[in-house]
Amino acid sequence: MINRRHAMGLLAGAGAASLTFGHAAFADNHEADAGEWREMMVGSPDASVEIIEYASLTCPHCANFRTNTYPLLRERYVDNGQVRMILREFPLDPLAMAGFMLARCDEEQYFPIVNMLFETQRQWAFGDRPLDELAGMMRQVGFSQEKFESCLRDQATYDGIMAVTEEGREQGVNSTPTFIVDGEIHRGALSIDQFEEILAPKLDG
């Protein structure tokens, strides 16, 4: 079994993806690959308001938003075509990077995987054997151990997520969750009442 200390060391230094953090980790060609990167969006592309969510899979406040506020926000504003939501990866540690890499490895299941990982965050992210727990979670959505390991070694996915993170920093994102609502930055796990206050003038106007 891999304990938490070993897992963090493995994720921080091993494999082709070399899951390290900092500007030096970016691939030289990440800008050339940007056109192939898929924005993960829910809602109508023609919605009048855009909410960009920067999140980390190991962030408890992000998990709180995703499990408690997001369903209400989607029901009231996204599903009726008023708002489109984009989730952008902003991993705060190697485990969060690993989770996002696994979700990106099967983009047709991206949101189910992300939601599952947020809902079970305490089980896999803060236990003694996080990689074992994460592998077990991914088996529930059809990942073999071979696919699990292969996804964590995908350099292109790693580079893409790091590029998204850097873009967020350039826009002023320095914590998670951070929401950019039509260009305006709002930090923290906003409640549904706070979102309604932000959205009301934009939708009424």
Side-chain angles (χ1 to χ4, degrees):
M1 294 291 187
I2 301 173
N3 63 30
R4 183 175 181 82
R5 180 179 177 184
H6 292 156
M8 294 299 283
L10 174 64
L11 290 173
S18 182
L19 297 180
T20 56
F21 285 78
H23 301 294
F26 283 80
D28 292 337
N29 65 346
H30 77 269
E31 291 184 358
D33 295 333
E36 302 173 7
W37 192 255
R38 178 179 173 187
E39 231 16 332
M40 305 313 293
M41 185 183 73
V42 174
S44 170
D46 300 321
S48 58
V49 176
E50 176 182 85
I51 299 176
I52 300 173
E53 172 194 359
Y54 281 92
S56 175
L57 282 170
T58 53
C59 160
H61 296 295
C62 300
N64 177 56
F65 166 75
R66 272 274 148 182
T67 56
N68 295 311
T69 303
Y70 172 72
L72 295 174
L73 188 63
R74 179 166 182 174
E75 178 185 353
R76 298 182 190 182
Y77 296 101
V78 178
D79 290 344
N80 62 16
Q82 292 180 294
V83 171
R84 65 179 175 274
M85 288 201 66
I86 295 171
L87 176 59
R88 290 185 182 166
E89 299 92 344
F90 199 89
L92 298 178
D93 53 55
L95 281 175
M97 171 63 86
F100 278 132
M101 289 179 72
L102 291 165
R104 281 281 181 179
C105 200
D106 189 347
E107 290 188 343
E108 297 308 310
Q109 294 195 85
Y110 180 87
F111 283 110
I113 290 172
V114 164
N115 291 337
M116 175 188 71
L117 293 179
F118 274 129
E119 290 167 5
T120 60
Q121 184 189 80
R122 292 183 64 85
Q123 179 177 340
W124 66 270
F126 300 107
D128 292 332
R129 298 188 295 270
L131 272 186
D132 291 335
E133 294 288 353
L134 191 54
M137 293 296 168
M138 298 309 297
R139 282 195 292 272
Q140 297 179 29
V141 292
F143 277 52
S144 65
Q145 185 65 24
E146 181 181 7
K147 181 176 180 178
F148 176 81
E149 295 176 3
S150 174
C151 292
L152 292 181
R153 292 185 173 90
D154 190 317
Q155 185 70 44
T157 299
Y158 172 80
D159 290 343
I161 292 172
M162 289 300 288
V164 170
T165 302
E166 175 65 9
E167 181 182 351
R169 289 194 184 103
E170 291 173 355
Q171 294 186 63
V173 178
N174 56 21
S175 62
T176 58
T178 292
F179 302 93
I180 301 179
V181 185
D182 279 356
E184 301 172 357
I185 292 183
H186 301 269
R187 306 183 196 279
L190 305 180
S191 67
I192 188 62
D193 291 339
Q194 289 173 304
F195 270 110
E196 290 189 331
E197 185 176 346
I198 293 167
L199 292 173
K202 298 180 182 299
L203 294 173
D204 291 344

